[in-house]
Amino acid sequence: MRTSHTLHIVFLLCLILTACAPVAPVTPVVMPSALPSSTPTVTATVLPSVTPTLEPTASPTVTATATATVPPAPRLSAYTLSVALDYDQKSADVQEKIEYINTSTDTLNEVRLVIPPLAYPEAFSLKSLQGADGQEIKARNYESSWLAVPLSAALAPGATTQLTLNYHLGMPAATKITGSRPVPFGYTARQLNLVDWYPFIAPYVSGKGWLAHPFSAYGESMAYEMNRFDVQLTISSQKAVQVAASTAAEQNGQSYHYQMRAARTFALSISSQYQVEKFTLGNIEISSYYYPANAVSGKAAAQIAAQSIQLYGDHFALYPHRSLAVVEADFLDGMEYDGLIFVSKAMYNLYQGKSADYFTAIVTHETAHQWFYALIGNDQAEQPWLDEALATYCELLYDEKYAPDAAQWWWDVRVNYYHPSGWVDSSVYDQQGQGDSYALYRNAVYLNGATFLDELRKTVGDETFFAFLKDYTGQFSGKIVTSADFFTILQKHTSQDIHPLLKKYFSK
């Protein structure tokens, strides 16, 4: 979700191509996941390629029936949210109940409540916070991103406690800026996004502590447990709106009920201007939400996502949800959430029906995050390569399968043009204050990360490489991984000496 590489030339072209629509840069707080910060020229993307096509009622051109897999219902913490959204006023009142299970081996005296809207001035106002006994909790003062919540009784391993919150959300306008990078949370003239919008309890690692970090100027800084979600959304608006969500809704007028029994995040995107294309792939419903001017790219997005689901299901594990919403972002970035992905409007505007372009790359990248981020979690602040490098390399896997002529473009324009360098295992904080720190972070984690994975693949061979990734995905589905987990599984699949690669690409 989450860091995208924004193209300078794309930004300028987008201003031209969307002259009637406001372009809205906003405060750099939580960077999404996949567009470059500069590019050679648009004409450099024109290479022989496969042109994806999708008629409104046609099925995508995949070779087998894709199937979603929903893991057996484990014992997960549960989030129940009742949201009264005033779409016209861009605000919401929320009642949230958290049933938290201590899955660690430590006894806890407090929990750490991460509150993503604190990244935005005046976006979050806490009205009340009650514990399991119904008593008001006096939590510590707000930190930059989280609240320490004391418990009335120590929480033993395996025990459950409850928190009940009431709060008000005032969505920030995308026109309010202090920097140059867009973020998804908030609204534009065409779109309102409830993403990373509710407080949640950070993952706790036995013997180590809470995975809760300060917000970063770029890159994602949050880690998420797998949870259950029950969301009741009621919308007040003078306009008829379409709602894109992490899962399908039971709808009654402007009231929507959503349930997910295993997900890391729950996201919503709402607009009065969305056009929607829906079809099923096996038992998976794919919905593409796009603006009227971009019907061609909106339909292509659905097909590319469907092909990606098929491919990644074959390589890694079956798709983890029953649906996927692909949303044209009214901001210049891409971003991922469980069951919902955003792709920059700039990419939609510039799409010319060719696979050798950033539109195809970013759709495949964000779809890949349904495996590397959603199915397998990681500490995105400290070890972002575990989702971002893998999602970036999945772009090449898509080209190799569906558009072989685009693969060389991918290496030339998407990766090598930026001369990737830097330690793959960089955190989101390591390059801050070092010149163009975002470019250094992108080059190290995304691009050098993808280069490392390609060298690893060549070193161990395709059969071993993909057998390893399937095993890795299977063993860590629903969990939060570390770099050590990645290499522990790898070592079970190969006797090749990979120490030269580790020395070349990793700082530790």
Side-chain angles (χ1 to χ4, degrees):
M1 141 195 139
R2 117 224 153 173
T3 307
S4 38
H5 312 259
T6 305
L7 297 155
H8 293 161
I9 190 166
V10 166
F11 180 83
L12 295 174
L13 288 171
C14 184
L15 289 174
I16 296 170
L17 295 174
T18 58
C20 297
V23 176
V26 293
T27 307
V29 181
V30 182
M31 275 306 300
S33 47
L35 309 178
S37 59
S38 62
T39 192
T41 61
V42 173
T43 56
T45 68
V46 181
L47 295 176
S49 61
V50 176
T51 302
T53 59
L54 178 66
E55 296 302 321
T57 59
S59 296
T61 53
V62 294
T63 57
T65 301
T67 304
T69 181
V70 179
R75 190 165 179 250
L76 301 176
S77 297
Y79 287 73
T80 303
L81 299 112
S82 180
V83 186
L85 173 67
D86 188 327
Y87 178 80
D88 300 332
Q89 295 300 315
K90 316 304 181 190
S91 66
D93 288 298
V94 184
Q95 182 181 73
E96 177 177 352
K97 181 179 179 181
I98 303 173
E99 294 182 6
Y100 176 71
I101 302 170
N102 179 8
T103 57
S104 78
T105 58
D106 295 345
T107 295
L108 305 177
N109 294 309
E110 68 176 27
V111 295
R112 190 158 295 184
L113 195 66
V114 179
I115 307 177
L118 288 179
Y120 309 86
E122 301 179 356
F124 181 83
S125 177
L126 181 64
K127 298 179 180 178
S128 66
L129 172 60
Q130 297 173 335
D133 56 4
Q135 298 298 307
E136 193 72 17
I137 297 175
K138 293 186 181 295
R140 288 189 217 156
N141 292 336
Y142 287 155
E143 299 290 341
S144 62
S145 59
W146 51 267
L147 191 65
V149 180
L151 301 176
S152 58
L155 190 65
T160 301
T161 191
Q162 294 181 0
L163 296 178
T164 302
L165 302 87
N166 286 276
Y167 51 92
H168 178 79
L169 294 176
M171 265 64 79
T175 53
K176 295 180 179 179
I177 63 169
T178 57
S180 60
R181 290 198 176 278
V183 292
F185 178 72
Y187 71 91
T188 68
R190 300 196 294 181
Q191 184 180 74
L192 185 151
N193 298 323
L194 282 170
V195 295
D196 283 327
W197 55 280
Y198 51 85
F200 66 92
I201 297 176
Y204 182 87
V205 179
S206 300
K208 181 178 179 181
W210 301 98
L211 297 184
H213 305 290
F215 291 122
S216 172
Y218 51 78
E220 288 83 70
S221 59
M222 288 176 279
Y224 311 89
E225 291 279 18
M226 198 73 86
N227 298 298
R228 291 185 289 124
F229 290 93
D230 190 308
V231 180
Q232 185 71 48
L233 170 68
T234 303
I235 300 176
S236 172
S237 177
Q238 297 298 314
K239 304 174 182 177
V241 297
Q242 292 278 0
V243 182
S246 288
T247 193
E250 295 179 6
Q251 183 178 353
N252 182 10
Q254 290 298 83
S255 181
Y256 304 79
H257 184 211
Y258 304 92
Q259 291 183 303
M260 297 185 81
R261 68 177 187 176
R264 299 189 189 276
T265 56
F266 188 89
L268 296 155
S269 181
I270 304 157
S271 175
S272 62
Q273 299 184 37
Y274 283 149
Q275 301 292 303
V276 186
E277 195 72 43
K278 291 178 179 284
F279 64 91
T280 58
L281 178 65
N283 65 346
I284 304 166
E285 181 179 79
I286 300 173
S287 302
S288 176
Y289 297 81
Y290 55 89
Y291 301 114
N294 286 326
V296 172
S297 46
K299 294 169 184 176
Q303 178 173 353
I304 295 165
Q307 292 172 321
S308 299
I309 287 172
Q310 183 71 66
L311 177 65
Y312 305 150
D314 291 341
H315 276 319
F316 312 131
L318 296 179
Y319 181 70
H321 302 301
R322 296 289 187 184
S323 64
L324 177 66
V326 185
V327 182
E328 180 179 354
D330 202 25
F331 50 87
L332 296 178
D333 280 299
M335 192 61 191
E336 73 277 359
Y337 303 92
D338 276 77
L340 184 150
I341 61 174
F342 288 99
V343 177
S344 169
K345 62 183 178 181
M347 301 296 96
Y348 280 77
N349 292 339
L350 296 176
Y351 178 65
Q352 296 181 347
K354 297 177 174 60
S355 293
D357 66 10
Y358 277 105
F359 177 78
T360 300
I362 302 320
V363 174
T364 61
H365 179 112
E366 303 301 347
T367 303
H369 275 305
Q370 297 304 305
W371 284 262
F372 306 111
Y373 155 82
L375 187 60
I376 300 178
N378 60 291
D379 186 337
Q380 296 184 105
E382 294 296 334
Q383 297 183 332
W385 79 274
L386 287 166
D387 66 293
E388 295 299 358
L390 282 157
T392 303
Y393 194 65
C394 283
E395 301 168 20
L396 177 64
L397 300 184
Y398 176 92
D399 286 345
E400 290 177 345
K401 172 68 175 180
Y402 297 110
D405 290 340
Q408 191 58 51
W409 172 90
W410 187 85
W411 280 114
D412 291 343
V413 179
R414 170 70 163 137
V415 179
N416 292 333
Y417 173 79
Y418 300 99
H419 307 290
S421 62
W423 299 121
V424 171
D425 55 340
S426 298
S427 77
V428 297
Y429 311 110
D430 287 345
Q431 287 88 3
Q432 291 187 15
Q434 301 181 35
D436 189 349
S437 55
Y438 171 69
L440 294 173
Y441 167 74
R442 172 206 63 204
N443 287 355
V445 173
Y446 286 72
L447 305 183
N448 222 25
T451 304
F452 157 70
L453 290 168
D454 193 64
E455 285 199 37
L456 175 63
R457 178 183 173 186
K458 290 174 180 174
T459 299
V460 302
D462 275 17
E463 183 177 353
T464 296
F465 181 76
F466 289 112
F468 149 64
L469 287 177
K470 182 162 288 196
D471 189 15
Y472 169 73
T473 309
Q475 291 205 38
F476 291 107
S477 290
K479 301 177 183 178
I480 294 175
V481 297
T482 65
S483 296
D485 296 323
F486 181 92
F487 290 111
T488 295
I489 301 300
L490 175 61
Q491 288 172 352
K492 294 179 179 179
H493 285 265
T494 181
S495 59
Q496 292 282 348
D497 182 9
I498 63 168
H499 287 93
L501 283 180
L502 298 182
K503 185 177 180 180
K504 178 179 179 181
Y505 287 101
F506 288 79
S507 64
K508 52 185 177 294

